[in-house]
Amino acid sequence: MAANIIDGKAFAATVREKVAGHVARLKEEHGITPGLAVVLVGEDPASQVYVRSKGKQTVEVGMNSYEHKLDAATSEADLLAVVDQLNNDPNVHGILVQLPLPGHLNEDLIINSIAPEKDVDGFHISNVGLLGTGQKSMVPCTPLGCLMMLRDYHGSLSGMDAVVIGRSNIVGKPMAQLLLGDSCTVTIAHSRTKDLPEVVRRADIVVAAVGRPEMVPGDWIKEGATVIDVGINRIERDGKNKLVGDVDFASCAERAGAITPVPGGVGPMTIACLLANTVTACCRANGLAEPEGLTA
Ligand code: GUN
């Protein structure tokens, strides 16, 4: 079987279009412009690329983008003061502190200082708890993007066997919560899982989020399963730099019913969902109905 390719790049463009429509309506009907603040501490090159891309796309959908670039040596107290100022700024509806932070800063402390209703990353402990108990929350962007693509492809996910490979707080754990919320039977597999190939072979849905290049071969995939590849790994092959996922695309595509490519799969959905979360946060902050189809 040749798998259907789930085109995350095209899907992300439709999400951004929807977001832009809601932003236009918020401006015209309510005089409100949603605003997203991104805080970058230090000069990590990958983080600089992400932050630039976030700022550009924020402006493209008609929202205000506020960038706070702080020196790598910024103290915890100074960073907390910046977050506090953003928490209290009515023009800022979403706050994202780019991770990783320099080693002298306590990430948990900083993330948990963000007002939960402005935590568009969904990393605040309150949002983690709300998601885990099935209550309205801000949902982490990458898992939200994966869920949107799965719902779009399958309609209902009810009763499906889902295996999430990876137990990170950013992807694996919230992804499992979202799939459980959509009535999947969920297994979280990780580096200590016994007989990982057999566990993965049971899955109707496989979400790979481990950060190890091409670690899932095709013969782990059940015929017709849906494979969502969250990995973005830079490798060198035949003397060239290449981006590959956590699954071996060629062999998995032979057995899967549907698969996301790398690049062009999950990656573009992450920022699109960040924009969606910002619009959702803005609507909630103003007591307005939140956009349909942009939340979990
Ligand atoms: N660094 C890499 N990905 C992310 C993300 O989704 N959010 C934040 N805050 N930092 C990141």
Side-chain angles (χ1 to χ4, degrees):
M1 178 194 276
N4 292 305
I5 305 297
I6 300 179
D7 185 345
K9 196 172 165 201
F11 200 107
T14 68
V15 171
R16 285 196 302 272
E17 248 170 61
K18 269 193 211 172
V19 169
H22 286 289
V23 170
R25 220 162 303 137
L26 281 165
K27 285 184 185 176
E28 279 164 29
E29 294 174 14
H30 303 281
I32 301 166
T33 304
L36 171 63
V38 175
V39 181
L40 173 63
V41 185
E43 277 154 25
D44 176 69
S47 293
Q48 285 179 324
V49 171
Y50 280 131
V51 166
R52 210 171 306 131
S53 190
K54 284 168 188 168
K56 183 168 171 278
Q57 293 190 35
T58 302
V59 171
E60 277 170 3
V61 295
M63 305 200 291
N64 287 329
S65 169
Y66 307 99
E67 278 183 22
H68 293 258
K69 292 188 176 163
L70 309 178
D71 191 86
T74 300
S75 70
E76 209 157 77
D78 284 350
L79 179 54
L80 287 169
V82 170
V83 172
D84 187 55
Q85 179 219 321
L86 297 171
N87 282 342
N88 290 299
D89 184 341
N91 294 314
V92 171
H93 303 97
I95 302 170
L96 179 148
V97 177
Q98 184 68 26
L99 303 178
L101 288 170
H104 66 285
L105 298 170
N106 180 335
E107 284 189 357
D108 287 338
L109 181 82
I110 302 298
I111 294 301
N112 289 323
S113 74
I114 298 171
E117 64 277 12
K118 295 190 179 188
D119 167 40
V120 282
D121 262 326
F123 295 166
H124 190 289
I125 192 70
S126 294
N127 283 314
V128 175
L130 290 167
L131 177 62
T133 50
Q135 298 178 72
K136 193 187 271 192
S137 65
M138 295 307 302
V139 177
C141 303
T142 300
L144 178 58
C146 296
L147 183 75
M148 282 184 187
M149 290 193 287
L150 284 166
R151 284 179 176 170
D152 181 68
Y153 187 76
H154 286 285
S156 169
L157 308 181
S158 181
M160 296 178 84
D161 284 318
V163 171
V164 179
I165 315 173
R167 54 177 157 177
S168 71
N169 291 335
I170 293 181
V171 183
K173 287 181 201 160
M175 187 75 245
Q177 294 288 3
L178 289 170
L179 292 165
L180 191 59
D182 271 26
S183 302
C184 292
T185 303
V186 182
T187 303
I188 306 180
H190 47 77
S191 54
R192 303 287 177 90
T193 295
K194 279 188 273 178
D195 205 352
L196 182 60
E198 267 318 300
V199 170
V200 176
R201 278 186 198 114
R202 290 203 299 265
D204 304 309
I205 294 170
V206 179
V207 180
V210 270
R212 285 183 54 195
E214 300 174 326
M215 74 158 278
V216 178
D219 70 353
W220 291 12
I221 302 298
K222 180 161 90 174
E223 197 73 40
T226 299
V227 178
I228 304 291
D229 191 350
V230 179
I232 301 177
N233 308 292
R234 223 167 275 279
I235 62 160
E236 201 185 305
R237 181 171 290 153
D238 306 327
K240 286 184 194 150
N241 284 323
K242 205 174 172 241
L243 279 187
V244 298
D246 289 349
V247 312
D248 175 47
F249 183 82
S251 62
C252 288
E254 279 176 25
R255 290 172 66 104
I259 187 167
T260 58
V262 176
V266 175
M269 287 297 288
T270 298
I271 296 182
C273 287
L274 175 68
L275 305 176
N277 276 350
T278 305
V279 161
T280 299
C282 179
C283 290
R284 288 180 186 169
N286 289 282
L288 300 168
E290 46 190 83
E292 266 178 43
L294 294 181
T295 47

